[in-house]
Short mmCIF file of all heavy atoms in Angstrom, two decimals:
data_model
loop_
_atom_site.label_atom_id
_atom_site.label_comp_id
_atom_site.label_asym_id
_atom_site.label_seq_id
_atom_site.Cartn_x
_atom_site.Cartn_y
_atom_site.Cartn_z
N GLN A 71 -44.46 -130.14 22.98
CA GLN A 71 -43.57 -129.09 22.70
C GLN A 71 -42.05 -129.65 22.95
O GLN A 71 -41.87 -130.25 24.07
CB GLN A 71 -43.72 -127.96 23.74
CG GLN A 71 -42.70 -126.80 23.44
CD GLN A 71 -43.13 -125.54 24.39
OE1 GLN A 71 -43.49 -125.80 25.50
NE2 GLN A 71 -42.99 -124.35 23.78
N PHE A 72 -41.24 -129.48 22.04
CA PHE A 72 -39.73 -129.82 22.34
C PHE A 72 -38.93 -129.03 21.31
O PHE A 72 -39.50 -128.38 20.29
CB PHE A 72 -39.46 -131.27 22.21
CG PHE A 72 -39.97 -132.01 20.99
CD1 PHE A 72 -39.26 -131.94 19.75
CD2 PHE A 72 -41.11 -132.74 21.04
CE1 PHE A 72 -39.75 -132.60 18.65
CE2 PHE A 72 -41.51 -133.53 19.92
CZ PHE A 72 -40.83 -133.41 18.70
N ALA A 73 -37.62 -128.95 21.40
CA ALA A 73 -36.69 -128.11 20.66
C ALA A 73 -36.16 -128.99 19.52
O ALA A 73 -36.07 -130.28 19.54
CB ALA A 73 -35.75 -127.46 21.61
N ALA A 74 -35.40 -128.25 18.71
CA ALA A 74 -34.59 -128.87 17.66
C ALA A 74 -33.34 -129.14 18.13
O ALA A 74 -32.29 -128.65 17.48
CB ALA A 74 -34.65 -128.02 16.36
N ASP A 75 -33.02 -129.85 19.24
CA ASP A 75 -31.82 -130.21 19.87
C ASP A 75 -31.68 -131.65 19.95
O ASP A 75 -32.50 -132.41 19.48
CB ASP A 75 -31.60 -129.47 21.18
CG ASP A 75 -32.65 -129.73 22.13
OD1 ASP A 75 -33.42 -130.71 22.02
OD2 ASP A 75 -32.92 -129.03 23.20
N ARG A 76 -30.63 -132.10 20.54
CA ARG A 76 -30.36 -133.56 20.58
C ARG A 76 -31.54 -134.25 21.28
O ARG A 76 -32.02 -135.38 20.82
CB ARG A 76 -28.97 -133.77 21.25
CG ARG A 76 -28.72 -135.37 21.46
CD ARG A 76 -27.28 -135.62 22.12
NE ARG A 76 -27.39 -135.12 23.51
CZ ARG A 76 -27.77 -136.16 24.46
NH1 ARG A 76 -28.15 -137.22 24.15
NH2 ARG A 76 -27.66 -135.63 25.67
N HIS A 77 -32.00 -133.74 22.44
CA HIS A 77 -33.03 -134.29 23.17
C HIS A 77 -34.23 -134.31 22.37
O HIS A 77 -35.10 -135.24 22.50
CB HIS A 77 -33.23 -133.77 24.53
CG HIS A 77 -32.15 -134.13 25.58
ND1 HIS A 77 -31.69 -133.33 26.60
CD2 HIS A 77 -31.54 -135.25 25.70
CE1 HIS A 77 -30.78 -134.08 27.32
NE2 HIS A 77 -30.58 -135.17 26.74
N GLY A 78 -34.50 -133.12 21.72
CA GLY A 78 -35.80 -133.06 20.82
C GLY A 78 -35.77 -134.13 19.81
O GLY A 78 -36.85 -134.64 19.50
N GLU A 79 -34.68 -134.32 19.14
CA GLU A 79 -34.62 -135.35 18.18
C GLU A 79 -34.79 -136.82 18.71
O GLU A 79 -35.40 -137.61 17.98
CB GLU A 79 -33.34 -135.28 17.40
CG GLU A 79 -33.32 -134.03 16.47
CD GLU A 79 -34.40 -133.80 15.58
OE1 GLU A 79 -34.74 -134.91 14.78
OE2 GLU A 79 -35.02 -132.83 15.59
N MET A 80 -34.35 -137.00 19.89
CA MET A 80 -34.70 -138.29 20.64
C MET A 80 -36.22 -138.49 20.70
O MET A 80 -36.81 -139.49 20.44
CB MET A 80 -34.05 -138.34 21.98
CG MET A 80 -32.55 -138.54 22.01
SD MET A 80 -31.84 -138.58 23.75
CE MET A 80 -32.80 -139.96 24.33
N ILE A 81 -36.83 -137.32 21.09
CA ILE A 81 -38.31 -137.46 21.34
C ILE A 81 -38.98 -137.70 20.08
O ILE A 81 -39.89 -138.60 19.81
CB ILE A 81 -38.82 -136.15 22.02
CG1 ILE A 81 -38.34 -136.13 23.39
CG2 ILE A 81 -40.37 -136.12 22.02
CD1 ILE A 81 -38.61 -134.83 24.12
N ARG A 82 -38.76 -136.91 18.96
CA ARG A 82 -39.25 -137.01 17.68
C ARG A 82 -39.17 -138.39 17.06
O ARG A 82 -40.09 -139.12 16.54
CB ARG A 82 -38.81 -136.07 16.69
CG ARG A 82 -39.42 -135.99 15.31
CD ARG A 82 -38.97 -134.88 14.31
NE ARG A 82 -39.17 -133.60 14.82
CZ ARG A 82 -40.29 -132.90 14.72
NH1 ARG A 82 -41.26 -133.48 14.13
NH2 ARG A 82 -40.36 -131.71 15.17
N SER A 83 -37.86 -139.04 17.25
CA SER A 83 -37.49 -140.28 16.67
C SER A 83 -38.43 -141.36 17.39
O SER A 83 -38.95 -142.28 16.79
CB SER A 83 -36.11 -140.66 16.63
OG SER A 83 -35.41 -139.77 16.00
N HIS A 84 -38.49 -141.17 18.75
CA HIS A 84 -39.25 -142.09 19.55
C HIS A 84 -40.78 -142.10 19.15
O HIS A 84 -41.42 -143.13 18.93
CB HIS A 84 -39.07 -141.68 21.02
CG HIS A 84 -39.77 -142.56 21.99
ND1 HIS A 84 -39.51 -143.82 22.24
CD2 HIS A 84 -40.89 -142.31 22.87
CE1 HIS A 84 -40.19 -144.33 23.32
NE2 HIS A 84 -41.11 -143.46 23.64
N LEU A 85 -41.35 -140.84 19.03
CA LEU A 85 -42.78 -140.84 18.60
C LEU A 85 -42.95 -141.39 17.25
O LEU A 85 -43.96 -142.27 17.07
CB LEU A 85 -43.17 -139.37 18.61
CG LEU A 85 -43.14 -138.69 19.91
CD1 LEU A 85 -43.54 -137.19 19.83
CD2 LEU A 85 -44.17 -139.24 20.86
N GLU A 86 -42.09 -141.11 16.26
CA GLU A 86 -42.38 -141.59 15.00
C GLU A 86 -42.18 -143.11 14.84
O GLU A 86 -42.81 -143.86 14.17
CB GLU A 86 -41.47 -140.79 13.92
CG GLU A 86 -41.80 -139.37 13.80
CD GLU A 86 -40.95 -138.54 12.81
OE1 GLU A 86 -39.97 -139.09 12.38
OE2 GLU A 86 -41.42 -137.50 12.51
N ALA A 87 -41.23 -143.56 15.57
CA ALA A 87 -40.90 -145.06 15.64
C ALA A 87 -42.22 -145.84 16.21
O ALA A 87 -42.32 -146.95 15.80
CB ALA A 87 -39.74 -145.29 16.51
N SER A 88 -42.81 -145.09 17.05
CA SER A 88 -43.99 -145.73 17.65
C SER A 88 -45.30 -145.38 16.92
O SER A 88 -46.40 -145.83 17.48
CB SER A 88 -44.13 -145.26 19.15
OG SER A 88 -43.04 -145.79 19.90
N GLY A 89 -45.32 -144.71 15.78
CA GLY A 89 -46.40 -144.46 15.00
C GLY A 89 -47.20 -143.25 15.54
O GLY A 89 -48.43 -143.11 15.06
N VAL A 90 -46.71 -142.52 16.34
CA VAL A 90 -47.56 -141.31 16.95
C VAL A 90 -47.35 -140.07 16.00
O VAL A 90 -46.30 -139.68 15.55
CB VAL A 90 -46.97 -140.84 18.28
CG1 VAL A 90 -47.59 -139.66 18.90
CG2 VAL A 90 -47.14 -142.06 19.35
N GLY A 91 -48.50 -139.56 15.63
CA GLY A 91 -48.59 -138.34 14.84
C GLY A 91 -47.99 -137.05 15.58
O GLY A 91 -48.19 -136.87 16.73
N THR A 92 -47.17 -136.32 14.73
CA THR A 92 -46.36 -135.05 15.36
C THR A 92 -46.91 -133.88 14.68
O THR A 92 -46.05 -132.91 14.62
CB THR A 92 -44.90 -135.32 15.24
OG1 THR A 92 -44.58 -135.63 14.03
CG2 THR A 92 -44.55 -136.53 16.16
N THR A 93 -48.04 -133.68 14.25
CA THR A 93 -48.53 -132.51 13.56
C THR A 93 -48.42 -131.35 14.46
O THR A 93 -48.23 -130.27 14.08
CB THR A 93 -50.02 -132.77 13.01
OG1 THR A 93 -50.02 -133.83 12.11
CG2 THR A 93 -50.42 -131.39 12.36
N PHE A 94 -48.83 -131.55 15.74
CA PHE A 94 -49.09 -130.47 16.68
C PHE A 94 -47.96 -130.15 17.59
O PHE A 94 -48.21 -129.89 18.83
CB PHE A 94 -50.48 -130.64 17.45
CG PHE A 94 -51.50 -130.91 16.53
CD1 PHE A 94 -52.18 -132.06 16.53
CD2 PHE A 94 -52.07 -129.77 15.79
CE1 PHE A 94 -53.34 -132.42 15.70
CE2 PHE A 94 -53.23 -130.02 14.97
CZ PHE A 94 -53.83 -131.23 14.92
N VAL A 95 -46.73 -130.21 17.12
CA VAL A 95 -45.51 -130.11 18.01
C VAL A 95 -45.24 -128.50 18.01
O VAL A 95 -45.01 -127.93 16.81
CB VAL A 95 -44.40 -130.87 17.46
CG1 VAL A 95 -43.15 -130.56 18.33
CG2 VAL A 95 -44.51 -132.36 17.72
N SER A 96 -45.13 -127.87 19.12
CA SER A 96 -44.78 -126.57 19.24
C SER A 96 -43.18 -126.47 19.50
O SER A 96 -42.79 -127.28 20.25
CB SER A 96 -45.48 -125.90 20.39
OG SER A 96 -46.88 -125.95 20.19
N PRO A 97 -42.59 -125.40 18.87
CA PRO A 97 -41.13 -125.33 19.14
C PRO A 97 -40.81 -124.76 20.53
O PRO A 97 -41.60 -124.20 21.21
CB PRO A 97 -40.72 -124.29 17.98
CG PRO A 97 -41.93 -123.49 17.81
CD PRO A 97 -43.07 -124.40 18.04
#
Side-chain angles (χ1 to χ4, degrees):
Q71 182 179 38
F72 52 78
D75 55 17
R76 180 178 70 86
H77 282 156
E79 287 309 307
M80 284 178 61
I81 294 172
R82 185 180 295 279
S83 296
H84 181 67
L85 294 173
E86 293 183 349
S88 296
V90 177
T92 56
T93 299
F94 304 112
V95 173
S96 299

